[in-house]
Amino acid sequence: MADDGVLIGFSDHLESLRLDRANRHGLVAGATGTGKTVTLQALAQGLSDAGVPVFAADVKGDLCGIAAAGAPNEKMLARAKIMNLELRPAAAPVVFWDLFGEQGHPIRATVSEMGPLLISRMLELNDVQEGVLSVVFRAADEEGLLLLDLKDLQAALTYTSENAKALGAKYGNVSTATVATIQRKLLTLEDQGGANLFGEPALRLSDLMRTDGSGRGYVNILAADKLIASPRLYATFLLWLMSELFEELPEIGDPDKPRLAFFFDEAHLLFRDAPKPLLEKVEQVVRLIRSKGVGVYFVTQNPADIPETVLGQLGNRVQHALRAYSPLDQRGLKAAADSFRTNPAFDTADAIQALGVGEALVSVLDEKGAPTMVQKTLIRPPASRLGPLTPAERAAVMAASPVRGLYDEAQDRESAFEKLAARATAAAEAAEAPPVQQRRAEPTQPWGDEPAPTRRPAARASTRQSMGETFAKQLLRTVASTAGREIMRGLMGGLKRSRR
């Protein structure tokens, strides 16, 4: 680490990311094979050494090497010598996470915390379907039905379909056909492994913001080599995590160093085909989350993958080589070049195309928060391993994890599915029970007399209540029992949790 921040590399001087400007976000861009992952690894370990916890997705499966000390080769040692850098092999403290629970601790969120907007994005719902899903969440909130996992959501959808008329009278038209479409899309999500994301114990953000005994920040690595096969699930989960950080963390302005650095690899997946309302919310989160002490770093092939409204908020930039063979590539190259503060010593667009592996154009924020002049930079070699861990090495890291045992076993407490199933059972039992007839005692007829006229039993009062009555009574009970509790949902529609 440099004296004033995290060492990125060497131009005609050391290029460093200032810690007091690291919450102003950043971009690491470049074509495949130009060295983005090495840059990400060096930045993540440098921030960790400075006491900043890091969260990063391991899309290719080789970022996990940060958990093992490196074995520098001659080329790496030569580069370190140019920088006057003593390259000491060292591992970073690491916690592994995995939505599928195979290569790390399971990482979960509840359906309510995710909210209707992000789940709609995950399921690729249209506006009408998203509106119906919002009705499902509102009705569940008002009836006190916890939506924790996908079976809770399926149960709530069934409940909505069966009571579409009553709910429609209160919230607007609810089509049973639309509900059925959402249910089918949920089944597709389950087939893609989405059920692993939803449930309890839900992730506590404080477990992503740990430091070890020596004060180094833990590097939280999400195994995403399998997850990336479901790009909507991957992008929606990381967006949810970013929005949760925004909702839960208090304002602290510009700290001396970030509370957390968040690296979003394959960032184009977040913005691809995203509806305008979602893009506006992403922009808002990125703009405001820096005052919570969180730095967000987008890693992608081309800066053109990032909307201009978001790109303009990324103050620290590392641009690896781009190849411009088509008109679209040319436009992306021009956009990348124009985003830098010009250096009169070279043409930025030409320099981007001529960069070799391990080289980049770098511009960071200075002490006043202004971008520095772009510089051709040799990226520093990381102190940790370039390449993946073996299964045995990963298992050893998992065994020493500070969150071992906290998330490994799923929990299934009473929630919407169980409550609605109990209601259905009670209603079925009431319908099947024989009617209780109360008759007055009548004198016994003597033998030989004609029997008294047979009385028709009085019509039995219906044991079934209308949906409106049931809904109203349940709602009144819920409001009374919670004494004015409000369901508070955040910017992305997720349920706000109390800070822990």
Side-chain angles (χ1 to χ4, degrees):
M1 186 180 73
D3 292 339
D4 59 347
V6 176
L7 178 63
I8 298 175
F10 181 82
S11 54
D12 56 357
H13 60 275
L14 294 178
E15 296 287 344
S16 299
L17 171 67
R18 292 182 62 94
L19 289 173
D20 59 356
R21 294 291 179 264
N23 68 317
R24 300 292 184 94
H25 312 319
L27 173 71
V28 180
T32 301
T34 56
K36 295 192 303 294
T37 301
V38 174
T39 298
L40 191 161
Q41 187 167 332
L43 285 174
Q45 189 161 10
L47 287 164
S48 170
D49 290 341
V52 178
V54 172
F55 184 93
D58 188 6
V59 172
K60 299 176 184 175
D62 53 2
L63 183 60
C64 61
I66 198 172
N73 55 33
E74 291 184 6
K75 186 176 180 179
M76 295 169 63
L77 292 172
R79 178 168 296 189
K81 186 176 181 180
I82 293 173
M83 302 178 189
N84 196 25
L85 171 67
E86 185 179 356
L87 191 57
R88 296 179 178 177
V94 168
V95 177
F96 289 119
W97 302 91
D98 185 357
L99 260 66
F100 302 101
E102 297 170 357
Q103 301 183 71
H105 301 291
I107 189 168
R108 306 180 187 88
T110 67
V111 169
S112 284
E113 288 168 351
M114 186 72 73
L117 177 61
L118 289 180
I119 291 180
S120 296
R121 156 77 166 161
M122 190 183 300
L123 298 177
E124 302 183 54
L125 303 184
N126 60 31
D127 291 344
V128 173
Q129 294 161 352
E130 181 181 335
V132 170
L133 187 63
S134 296
V135 169
V136 173
F137 273 76
R138 176 63 66 86
D141 286 346
E142 292 187 350
E143 289 222 18
L145 298 173
L146 291 175
L147 301 180
L148 302 181
D149 51 29
L150 286 190
K151 72 177 187 297
D152 290 327
L153 184 53
Q154 285 282 19
L157 285 164
T158 301
Y159 172 84
T160 301
S161 180
E162 292 173 347
N163 302 288
K165 185 175 181 180
L167 291 174
K170 183 173 185 179
Y171 300 111
N173 183 46
V174 176
S175 166
T176 56
T178 301
V179 173
T181 300
I182 299 172
Q183 289 176 312
R184 287 194 297 272
K185 293 198 173 189
L186 273 182
L187 290 176
T188 301
L189 179 64
E190 287 188 66
D191 292 340
Q192 295 175 350
N196 296 283
L197 170 58
F198 297 105
E200 290 187 314
L203 176 68
R204 293 173 43 179
L205 296 184
S206 57
D207 286 328
L208 298 181
M209 304 172 71
R210 293 173 175 265
T211 55
D212 68 3
S214 61
R216 295 180 300 166
Y218 273 96
V219 179
N220 298 273
I221 295 181
L222 175 67
D225 49 341
K226 181 178 177 181
L227 178 62
I228 202 67
S230 304
R232 283 294 178 103
L233 180 60
Y234 168 77
T236 305
F237 166 73
L238 291 186
L239 179 56
W240 166 79
L241 184 56
M242 192 164 62
S243 66
E244 284 291 289
L245 290 166
F246 169 76
E247 296 289 353
E248 287 201 34
L249 296 178
E251 297 273 348
I252 60 172
D254 287 323
D256 293 335
K257 61 184 179 182
R259 286 173 165 172
L260 179 71
F262 186 101
F263 287 88
F264 200 135
D265 201 359
E266 299 293 340
H268 66 283
L269 297 175
L270 175 61
F271 305 104
R272 188 174 66 189
D273 301 325
K276 185 177 180 181
L278 180 62
L279 288 177
E280 290 173 349
K281 292 183 183 298
V282 173
E283 177 192 349
Q284 188 175 0
V285 169
V286 173
R287 185 174 67 251
L288 299 177
I289 200 173
R290 70 174 182 83
S291 63
K292 308 294 184 88
V294 177
V296 181
Y297 291 77
F298 294 100
V299 184
T300 191
Q301 292 197 16
N302 195 313
D305 297 332
I306 312 295
E308 290 185 5
T309 53
V310 175
L311 192 62
Q313 300 176 49
L314 311 182
N316 303 292
R317 300 192 181 190
V318 180
Q319 177 66 61
H320 288 271
L322 285 177
R323 310 295 179 230
Y325 302 119
S326 69
L328 181 62
D329 293 338
Q330 291 285 350
R331 289 194 293 270
L333 174 63
K334 186 178 185 304
D338 291 345
S339 66
F340 285 105
R341 178 182 166 189
T342 304
N343 187 331
F346 56 86
D347 180 272
T348 306
D350 290 341
I352 291 175
Q353 296 182 83
L355 292 169
V357 176
E359 298 176 342
L361 297 187
V362 174
S363 175
V364 293
L365 298 179
D366 62 20
E367 67 278 2
K368 297 180 180 179
T372 59
M373 187 181 299
V374 63
Q375 299 287 349
K376 295 179 182 179
T377 305
L378 282 174
I379 300 299
R380 64 155 297 173
S384 50
R385 180 190 299 175
L386 293 177
L389 299 182
T390 65
E393 289 172 325
R394 184 184 289 269
V397 173
M398 291 278 294
S401 170
V403 297
R404 180 185 179 188
L406 295 181
Y407 299 98
D408 299 334
E409 294 296 330
Q411 299 173 2
D412 189 14
R413 61 185 169 124
E414 185 183 57
S415 49
F417 175 81
E418 288 79 13
K419 286 188 175 182
L420 291 174
R423 289 186 195 179
T425 300
E429 291 176 349
E432 293 175 0
V436 178
Q437 298 179 1
Q438 296 181 351
R439 295 186 178 181
R440 294 179 180 178
E442 297 180 357
T444 303
Q445 297 294 326
W447 289 103
D449 292 350
E450 292 183 1
T454 304
R455 290 184 180 180
R456 179 177 295 176
R460 179 168 56 93
S462 174
T463 59
R464 295 178 180 268
Q465 294 177 335
S466 71
M467 170 58 204
E469 292 172 339
T470 302
F471 188 92
K473 290 180 180 180
Q474 179 64 27
L475 180 59
L476 289 173
R477 285 196 295 269
T478 301
V479 172
S481 64
T482 54
R485 179 194 68 182
E486 292 183 353
I487 298 294
M488 298 295 292
R489 292 194 174 273
L491 188 67
M492 294 293 180
L495 190 66
K496 285 187 176 181
R497 291 185 285 185
S498 58
R499 290 174 185 159
R500 285 176 276 189

